[in-house]
Amino acid sequence: MTLENTGIYAIALSGILLSFFIAAYLLPWFLSITESLSIFAARNFTYTFLLSRYRWIGPWTAAAVVLQSAYIIANFFCVLFRVSSLLEAAIRAGRLSLINAMPLFLSPHLSFLADLFGMPIRTFRKIHGSSGAMSSGLLLFHVVVMMLLGKTQDLYVSLGALSLVIIPFLSISILRRAFYEVFLRSHQALAIYVAYSIWRHLWFVPGFPWFYVYLYGGAACLVNLVQLGIMTYRNKKWGSPLPRLLLGQDGGGICMTVELSRPVRIEAGQYINLWIWAPRISLWSWMQSHPFTVASWSPTEQTSLEIIVEPHSGLSSKLVQTSALTKTGDDGSSSYVAVFTGPHGISFPLWGFKTVVMFATGFGIAVMLPYLEKLIHGHKTFRGRANRIHLVWNVQNLTGFKRVVHLLNHHLEDDAIGKGYILRISIYIESGVKEEEFGDHGRAAFFMGAPDLRKILKAEENGDFIQQTEKDTIGNGVVSLVSGTDQLRDRLRGLVRSYLHKRMELKELDYQPR
């Protein structure tokens, strides 16, 4: 062995010993510091409200305020830093408006883009709205200044700017929820007109770098072609018909089953956007696409999807009427052609937590059902670490939830392994009486009034309902899932904030009932 080889050997041995030293002493210290910083940031930014929820605005967390402020300051800085004249500031504002608007026109399908960037749809909608508002403000400033300086009299760009300013006002949550179909089509129509106005205006700008526009257009076309290809593949299998929608009624609610042309893997908590060809239900059904949470889950691909719908005005109310007619036999058709996109949305990995607490209000129970099925399956197959699942369901009454009650009973019965079980259900009824039986297992408790959230979280954090022999098993503590009213989510966020240092987390699901 030469001196050179011995030197290599010494360096390698020293590196191995140093790695062991880092793993034994420095890595735990680094992870501890990182975890402490993460808890500090979550407690003081993510879980802290600077503005509470009001009818038209809020709530604003400290993290949202910081990020939004940084976004606004960055754009103001780009417009005003070392600007020599008002004309230059207006030109900069126009360019920034175009840059901020480019992500808005990448695809008409926000759910697909949210999946592409790995974001919850609610987060992506906020980013979309923030970019739209910033682009509108900058474009308005650009147009007004250019007109005052007599640099342009382009009617198209003026109307385009006005349209871009109107869009954020149409996107207010109250208006969007009350007039969803009208909002969606108006939003898309105005966006198309804005895009045309911008293109027409830029066509007459001398020396404009069209290469970047072509590059952006190519990227947008690629994104939409990929989305179209995925949708076509999942909706049409060679030799099989298109998916069919089967309607059923559950008291005041609707149970829908989508029979698929090709099996699809759906994770717990995900949803699909459904288009229905049903002129008997609505003459405008072919123009409507609605998101629906999938209430079924399977460890393998599913050939049919079960959906429990919260009825509102518009298409969902007509579905209720149609399902009632179908039940009595007055309508000859109970099956409709359906096309879907998805699955969309974030599915939270829960198998690493010892305790899972689920809070649902009304039809928010629908998104909890697949999580229940997945967690129980993981417990039975020894893949999950959960020793305790507690479902807290706050509901006005149980009318219209017969299918849900049946599924909950099924999960309670399926949960038992020998003499052990992990699922417990607490149902808080605000009006009426106990209308449905939950079998003879004795693990569904009924209460009148609203749940005491603080008491529930305290008991679950202490592990009061976990067997002593299981309290020391490996797990990440407690995770709380919520699909409920705005007030419930805000209240839980404030309570969980005080338990962050005890490894408790809060996850707000994509679907939230009204």
Side-chain angles (χ1 to χ4, degrees):
M1 183 178 291
T2 64
L3 181 62
E4 182 180 358
N5 291 336
T6 59
I8 294 174
Y9 176 81
I11 293 173
L13 181 60
S14 300
I16 292 172
L17 294 176
L18 181 62
S19 300
F20 278 114
F21 174 78
I22 292 174
Y25 294 98
L26 298 183
L27 185 60
W29 174 81
F30 177 76
L31 292 177
S32 177
I33 294 296
T34 303
E35 183 178 2
S36 300
L37 291 175
S38 177
I39 293 174
F40 174 82
R43 178 179 295 168
N44 294 280
F45 291 94
T46 307
Y47 284 81
T48 298
F49 287 131
L50 292 185
L51 179 68
S52 299
R53 187 184 301 274
Y54 295 95
R55 183 176 183 183
W56 295 97
I57 59 174
W60 293 352
T61 63
V65 171
V66 169
L67 292 174
Q68 189 66 42
S69 299
Y71 180 51
I72 295 173
I73 290 172
N75 278 270
F76 268 87
F77 178 82
C78 291
V79 171
L80 301 177
F81 182 68
R82 293 184 177 180
V83 65
S84 59
S85 64
L86 187 60
L87 176 61
E88 183 181 355
I91 293 174
R92 289 185 183 182
R95 292 173 179 172
L96 281 173
S97 176
L98 184 61
I99 294 171
N100 282 284
M102 290 176 74
L104 305 178
F105 297 93
L106 193 59
S107 173
H109 205 300
L110 293 188
S111 295
F112 181 79
L113 292 178
D115 297 337
L116 190 64
F117 292 104
M119 296 181 182
I121 184 62
R122 289 178 293 107
T123 302
F124 195 81
R125 280 200 191 106
K126 291 177 181 178
I127 295 175
H128 185 83
S130 180
S131 299
M134 178 61 68
S135 182
S136 300
L138 291 169
L139 182 59
L140 185 63
F141 174 77
H142 171 78
V143 171
V144 169
V145 171
M146 297 298 282
M147 293 183 69
L148 290 176
L149 296 177
K151 298 296 182 179
T152 182
Q153 296 180 349
D154 192 337
L155 179 62
Y156 283 94
V157 73
S158 302
L159 293 177
L162 180 62
S163 300
L164 196 57
V165 171
I166 292 174
I167 289 176
F169 290 99
L170 290 177
S171 303
I172 297 174
S173 59
I174 295 178
L175 297 178
R176 186 177 68 247
R177 290 180 176 182
F179 310 100
Y180 177 77
E181 291 89 354
V182 175
F183 151 77
L184 182 61
R185 300 312 168 201
S186 301
H187 188 99
Q188 292 173 340
L190 287 173
I192 291 173
Y193 180 74
V194 168
Y196 169 74
S197 300
I198 293 174
W199 171 81
R200 191 182 186 282
H201 174 67
L202 295 178
W203 187 261
F204 296 99
V205 175
F208 184 81
W210 283 98
F211 170 77
Y212 298 103
V213 176
Y214 299 146
L215 186 65
Y216 168 79
C221 289
L222 179 62
V223 167
N224 287 279
L225 284 174
V226 170
Q227 180 185 353
L228 180 62
I230 293 174
M231 183 185 71
T232 303
Y233 175 79
R234 290 177 175 168
N235 280 276
K236 189 67 176 75
K237 182 180 180 180
W238 186 263
S240 299
L242 287 170
R244 304 289 299 186
L245 174 70
L246 307 179
L247 285 181
Q249 193 181 29
D250 185 14
I254 316 166
C255 292
M256 300 194 306
T257 302
V258 182
E259 299 289 345
L260 303 177
S261 175
R262 185 189 300 273
V264 176
R265 180 68 179 269
I266 307 284
E267 289 295 338
Q270 291 189 309
Y271 65 94
I272 61 173
N273 279 297
L274 194 63
W275 173 88
I276 307 170
W277 172 252
R280 293 189 180 185
I281 296 178
S282 172
L283 291 176
W284 304 104
S285 63
W286 60 278
M287 292 186 62
Q288 302 180 31
S289 174
H290 293 264
F292 293 106
T293 297
V294 179
S296 56
W297 179 84
S298 173
T300 59
E301 294 180 332
Q302 300 185 56
T303 58
S304 63
L305 308 179
E306 185 165 358
I307 298 173
I308 299 173
V309 183
E310 180 182 9
H312 296 293
S313 59
L315 182 63
S316 59
S317 65
K318 294 177 181 178
L319 287 172
V320 172
Q321 299 169 8
T322 303
S323 62
L325 290 174
T326 301
K327 186 176 181 180
T328 59
D330 294 331
D331 190 345
S333 176
S334 61
S335 176
Y336 302 91
V337 174
V339 174
F340 73 96
T341 64
H344 302 295
I346 302 296
S347 180
F348 295 109
L350 304 179
W351 285 353
F353 291 89
K354 287 192 296 186
T355 300
V356 180
V357 192
M358 301 179 175
F359 295 93
T361 302
F363 281 90
I365 189 67
V367 74
M368 299 299 179
L369 295 173
Y371 277 109
L372 283 177
E373 193 167 359
K374 183 175 181 178
L375 286 168
I376 293 172
H377 172 79
H379 179 65
K380 295 176 68 174
T381 56
F382 304 102
R383 298 182 63 186
R385 296 170 178 171
N387 295 321
R388 164 80 170 173
I389 306 172
H390 186 190
L391 172 62
V392 181
W393 185 20
N394 189 199
V395 63
Q396 288 287 338
N397 54 70
L398 292 178
T399 302
F401 289 101
K402 291 183 180 180
R403 179 59 180 166
V404 171
V405 171
H406 171 76
L407 292 173
L408 291 178
N409 262 318
H410 168 73
H411 294 324
L412 287 168
E413 295 167 359
D414 189 47
D415 175 36
I417 302 179
K419 295 182 179 180
Y421 55 83
I422 61 173
L423 174 60
R424 178 82 181 187
I425 299 176
S426 299
I427 302 176
Y428 291 82
I429 302 177
E430 296 187 7
S431 63
V433 296
K434 176 182 175 183
E435 301 176 21
E436 302 289 346
E437 294 294 334
F438 273 76
D440 55 359
H441 36 65
R443 286 184 284 132
F446 288 82
F447 305 91
M448 296 302 297
D452 187 338
L453 303 180
R454 184 184 298 275
K455 182 178 179 180
I456 293 171
L457 289 178
K458 182 65 177 177
E460 300 298 343
E461 186 275 325
N462 289 336
D464 293 347
F465 302 98
I466 297 179
Q467 297 179 13
Q468 189 65 36
T469 57
E470 298 178 338
K471 286 189 177 182
D472 296 329
T473 57
I474 299 175
N476 293 334
V478 182
V479 61
S480 298
L481 298 182
V482 58
S483 177
T485 61
D486 296 338
Q487 294 74 18
L488 174 66
R489 301 201 308 275
D490 295 347
R491 176 67 172 158
L492 282 173
R493 184 177 288 270
L495 291 173
V496 171
R497 180 176 179 271
S498 59
Y499 289 106
L500 292 174
H501 65 289
K502 296 185 178 181
R503 310 189 78 172
M504 181 180 290
E505 298 180 25
L506 178 67
K507 305 293 186 183
E508 296 188 20
L509 303 181
D510 281 330
Y511 171 69
Q512 299 294 335
R514 299 184 186 179

